[in-house]
Amino acid sequence: MSRHYDVIIIGSGPAGLSAALYASRAKLSTLVLEKSKNGGQAAITHLIENYPGAVEDPTGPRVTARMVEQAKSFGAEIKQDEVLNVELEGDEKVVTCVSGDYTAKTVIIATGASPRKLDAPGIKELESKGISYCATCDGDFFEGLDVYVVGGANSAVEEALFLTKFARKVTIVYRRENVRCEKVTAEKAKNNPKIEILGNTVVTEAIGDGILEAIRLKNLITGEEYVIEADEEDGTMGLFFFIGYIPQTKLFEGKVEMTEDGYIKAGEDTRTNVDGVFVAGDCRVKDIRQVVTAVSDGAVAAIRAEKYIAEKFE
């Protein structure tokens, strides 16, 4: 027997938890489904210092735990359950999970996106220990250090420029000869005395005992490999990856309209092309992916869901 709700939210990152808070506070019966850990990418971020009104000592786990508490305080149910299938057409949406079926008047998709990661020795082990995927989140931790940025598209070069506010030097490592970003951005990078562009080069290993101490690079033209070590006085360095994101939307292929790379299409109103289905956070087509924009999306999606229910069912 299925369990019925006004709103089912798939994903418990900041977007999903914000949606849960707004929906439950509006007296909508609300269920959040999460297959793994609450908080999404934010929960594994060392510090979220750029989130307005963050708790004291704003570690990712502390900030997201507070979001969970707020949503639950208004009656939202948060269940650990993996979604296996969704049927989104019609007035009653069906969400099939490992534990069984749930039905709802509306569905908010908030499954997020994960940074594309390099499959090389040492990368996984040194994440958050010198290796990062977010300059805005972590840039100030590298004040006065040497930083390496992997990637050559707009986002990578823009993040490299941002990191020059903190780092002693920023080296862009890119597999092609020249960066592939907007000309204006490329010129800014080339004219910035703190930035060096290392073309035809890839990272093949991250090295360190509990903290990033060196990186191994490979020249794709000559085949030469060499190791860059952190300054002895610094003891560490920064390695940032900006090689794209992977939206966690495979479950919704053929169910809602997406871009070729898997982002769900919706405007600032968060409405998808399917009535009663909304999308919030990093899995939505958008320019800026930050905790604060995900939370904003979640609030908008819940308010839109409330209005949809009022117009459709009341």
Side-chain angles (χ1 to χ4, degrees):
M1 183 177 179
S2 65
R3 290 144 285 184
H4 188 72
Y5 295 84
D6 291 320
V7 183
I8 288 178
I9 300 163
I10 304 175
S12 69
L17 294 172
S18 174
L21 169 62
Y22 273 77
S24 58
R25 192 168 181 271
K27 305 300 182 183
L28 301 177
S29 57
T30 303
L31 172 65
V32 181
L33 295 168
E34 173 58 59
K35 70 176 181 179
S36 54
K37 186 177 182 180
N38 291 328
Q41 293 292 316
I44 59 173
T45 300
H46 178 53
L47 285 175
I48 309 178
E49 293 183 314
N50 58 347
Y51 184 70
V55 297
E56 186 178 351
D57 185 24
T59 64
R62 290 192 69 190
V63 172
T64 52
R66 177 60 183 143
M67 292 180 183
V68 170
E69 289 173 9
Q70 283 182 294
K72 285 184 174 180
S73 72
F74 288 102
E77 294 180 47
I78 301 177
K79 295 182 181 293
Q80 304 301 127
D81 207 346
E82 182 177 2
V83 178
L84 303 176
N85 188 48
V86 292
E87 295 298 333
L88 302 177
E89 297 291 343
D91 292 345
E92 185 175 272
K93 321 298 182 186
V94 181
V95 180
T96 300
C97 296
V98 171
S99 69
D101 288 351
Y102 301 94
T103 60
K105 296 171 183 174
T106 61
V107 167
I108 297 174
I109 301 168
T111 47
S114 302
R116 193 178 300 278
K117 298 183 178 182
L118 184 68
D119 184 15
I123 301 297
K124 185 176 181 180
E125 292 79 2
L126 293 171
E127 285 179 3
S128 299
K129 299 171 184 177
I131 293 179
S132 175
Y133 300 89
C134 179
T136 308
C137 309
D138 298 333
D140 60 339
F141 297 123
F142 298 90
E143 184 85 43
L145 300 179
D146 291 332
V147 167
Y148 289 76
V149 170
V150 179
N154 272 320
S155 60
V157 181
E158 287 169 358
E159 298 284 18
L161 286 163
F162 177 80
L163 285 166
T164 60
K165 297 179 180 181
F166 309 99
R168 178 170 56 223
K169 180 183 177 182
V170 177
T171 302
I172 297 174
V173 180
Y174 192 45
R175 62 172 48 252
R176 299 178 185 271
E177 185 173 354
N178 297 305
V179 294
R180 301 180 69 188
C181 60
E182 294 175 354
K183 289 183 178 180
V184 172
T185 305
E187 285 302 314
K188 285 182 181 178
K190 290 176 181 177
N191 293 330
N192 190 308
K194 280 191 171 185
I195 290 182
E196 178 184 351
I197 300 174
L198 203 57
N200 298 314
T201 303
V202 294
V203 173
T204 58
E205 184 181 6
I207 303 166
D209 183 11
I211 193 168
L212 183 66
E213 298 169 337
I215 58 175
R216 186 182 301 277
L217 302 176
K218 180 179 180 179
N219 185 297
L220 296 177
I221 301 298
T222 65
E224 176 194 3
E225 290 199 29
Y226 54 99
V227 173
I228 302 291
E229 296 183 349
D231 183 277
E232 190 173 336
E233 291 187 6
D234 298 336
T236 189
M237 62 208 303
L239 179 58
F240 285 77
F241 288 95
F242 302 109
I243 52 178
Y245 282 80
I246 303 172
Q248 304 301 298
T249 56
K250 191 171 181 61
L251 180 68
F252 309 102
E253 289 179 358
K255 307 291 178 73
V256 293
E257 191 175 358
M258 297 182 183
T259 63
E260 288 185 3
D261 50 1
Y263 289 98
I264 296 173
K265 293 183 178 181
E268 294 300 318
D269 62 4
T270 75
R271 293 186 297 180
T272 70
N273 65 312
V274 179
D275 286 344
V277 179
F278 307 84
V279 58
D282 289 359
C283 60
R284 177 174 79 82
V285 173
K286 59 194 300 184
D287 291 329
I288 307 299
R289 291 183 170 85
Q290 291 285 300
V291 171
V292 72
T293 61
V295 166
S296 173
D297 277 0
V300 172
I303 292 168
R304 290 292 182 181
E306 179 190 8
K307 289 182 178 179
Y308 171 84
I309 289 170
E311 293 171 359
K312 184 83 174 178
F313 298 97
E314 297 177 4

